Amino acid sequence: MRKRTVALLGALAAATTIWALNSSLLAGTPEQRPMLIAHRGLGQTFSPVGIGNDTCTADRIYPPEHTHLENTIEGFQAAFAAGADIVELDVHPTTDGDFAVFHDWTVDCRTDGKGVTREKSLKELKALDIGYGYTADGGKTFPFRGKGIGQMPSLGEVLTAFPNKRFLINIKSDDITEGRLLARKIGALPPEQQKLIMVYGGGKAIDAYKAALPDAVVLGTDRVVPCLMRYAALGWSGYVPEDCRKTLFMLPANFAPFAWGFPNRLSERLETNGSTLVILGDNDGSKYSTGVDDITTLKKLPARFDGAIWTNRVDRIGPAVAAPQ
């Protein structure tokens, strides 16, 4: 009986310790709202049902509620105006040694052109109409056709237009050469502007980028799952695995409540290790990541936490986050 009592007390003490290590009740309450990451700036959105790597998303957009297109300077301006703290953008190298800001591997879906994006010069890409392929009614009407000519920016143009803004750059490949080329571009910026840039993408490209710029905040997409799995196994102790340090800790909203220390204790740990907690939209088990794009999903999150919210609809989420709680 005595041994059983000692064991029970020991288990209770261990459980109390784990609770104390992970309870946000014992962590400081942030005074600031969470940051907002505007995915591709402010652009047209679409149904995520049945999305694959090669799905054309321009021909399945929702009826437009605004005039902006993703990955454009105008769309970035609108995103920052709506409350974005960070804008995510996509880049592809061009044949003339530059970087074009564009999402798709080919230009076939969104534009009036054909072919692989990175097999074209910046001049060729700028001649395209990037609004050409958008339709919300199965091709009956194309509301942005003719309005996107010359609107595909270079990375340099974006960084010149927004020298004091924060960006998250997505390398669209796993290419070592691409990682090195991007590092040279970013490394040529003033030191203060370099600090505003974070980069994510394929592991080899990111490793090459990080080797050139060791102090950069990066995320290799092949390390997202290992980071989450190792934190799930060890995070109860307060330990932050190596894969989760100086990076972005991506966490779907429906998984977040089960993460050790969520929200404020987790945010503190990550910040101590140079990382940022980023809350995505709900995940249904697929590889496709959604954003926090509606008020229902937003209300699942704490009103205050030291982290960021990933959204495709910063025009909706920005005003809601900024509103008094």
Side-chain angles (χ1 to χ4, degrees):
M1 184 70 177
R2 184 175 179 180
K3 289 182 179 180
R4 185 178 300 174
T5 301
V6 170
L8 180 60
L9 290 174
L12 181 61
T16 301
T17 299
I18 292 173
W19 177 86
L21 285 170
N22 291 283
S23 175
S24 286
L25 293 175
L26 303 181
T29 301
E31 296 181 359
Q32 302 297 319
R33 65 168 177 80
M35 296 182 294
L36 294 178
I37 299 177
H39 184 215
R40 308 184 200 175
L42 182 57
Q44 303 303 310
T45 53
F46 49 86
S47 170
V49 177
I51 292 291
N53 290 336
D54 299 322
T55 303
C56 178
T57 57
D59 64 6
R60 59 188 300 168
I61 61 169
Y62 295 122
E65 297 178 35
H66 57 75
T67 61
H68 307 296
L69 296 175
E70 65 175 55
N71 278 317
T72 62
I73 287 178
E74 182 187 54
F76 298 156
Q77 288 172 334
F80 285 124
D85 299 281
I86 302 168
V87 160
E88 187 266 4
L89 57 82
D90 308 287
V91 296
H92 290 273
T94 62
T95 57
D96 46 359
D98 214 319
F99 277 98
V101 179
F102 189 68
H103 176 269
D104 298 353
W105 192 261
T106 73
V107 298
D108 300 41
C109 169
R110 297 179 201 282
T111 85
D112 52 345
K114 298 290 183 182
V116 176
T117 306
R118 62 188 55 224
E119 293 178 358
K120 299 182 181 297
S121 68
L122 186 62
K123 182 178 180 180
E124 290 175 301
L125 292 169
K126 280 187 167 293
L128 299 175
D129 178 4
I130 62 171
Y132 187 86
Y134 286 86
T135 179
D137 53 16
K140 295 178 182 178
T141 60
F142 293 87
F144 300 102
R145 187 165 285 186
K147 299 178 181 179
I149 300 172
Q151 296 303 306
M152 188 188 303
S154 70
L155 178 60
E157 288 171 332
V158 171
L159 297 178
T160 298
F162 304 98
N164 300 313
K165 296 295 187 180
R166 298 181 66 184
F167 286 96
L168 172 60
I169 299 173
N170 182 14
I171 296 179
K172 302 300 292 183
S173 79
D174 196 22
D175 186 270
I176 293 173
T177 302
E178 188 174 342
R180 290 171 178 165
L181 177 60
L182 183 60
R184 286 198 294 272
K185 293 284 186 183
I186 301 303
L189 297 173
E192 291 306 309
Q193 190 173 8
Q194 290 184 44
K195 294 177 182 177
L196 301 176
I197 307 297
M198 300 179 290
V199 177
Y200 76 110
K204 293 178 182 177
I206 292 301
D207 287 345
Y209 182 90
K210 185 73 170 178
L213 299 175
D215 293 331
V217 175
V218 301
L219 172 64
T221 50
D222 56 342
R223 293 173 189 163
V224 172
V225 173
C227 163
L228 293 177
M229 295 297 290
R230 288 167 186 158
Y231 186 77
L234 302 169
W236 61 269
S237 66
Y239 177 72
V240 175
E242 187 68 33
D243 282 332
C244 303
R245 299 176 189 175
K246 207 162 189 181
T247 188
L248 302 174
F249 190 94
M250 301 285 203
L251 195 59
N254 53 331
F255 295 168
F258 305 102
W260 296 111
F262 180 80
N264 299 332
R265 187 71 82 180
L266 173 58
S267 294
E268 287 179 355
R269 288 174 188 161
L270 293 172
E271 186 177 4
T272 299
N273 286 275
S275 294
T276 300
L277 171 63
V278 179
I279 303 298
L280 308 172
D282 289 345
N283 182 270
D284 61 2
S286 68
K287 292 183 178 180
Y288 182 77
S289 296
T290 61
V292 177
D293 298 337
D294 56 76
I295 303 304
T296 300
T297 305
L298 179 65
K299 286 182 177 179
K300 296 179 183 179
L301 306 180
R304 294 284 182 267
F305 68 92
D306 287 327
I309 296 171
W310 181 281
T311 181
N312 298 292
R313 291 301 306 261
V314 69
D315 55 326
R316 291 177 180 169
I317 303 303
V321 169
Q325 300 296 321

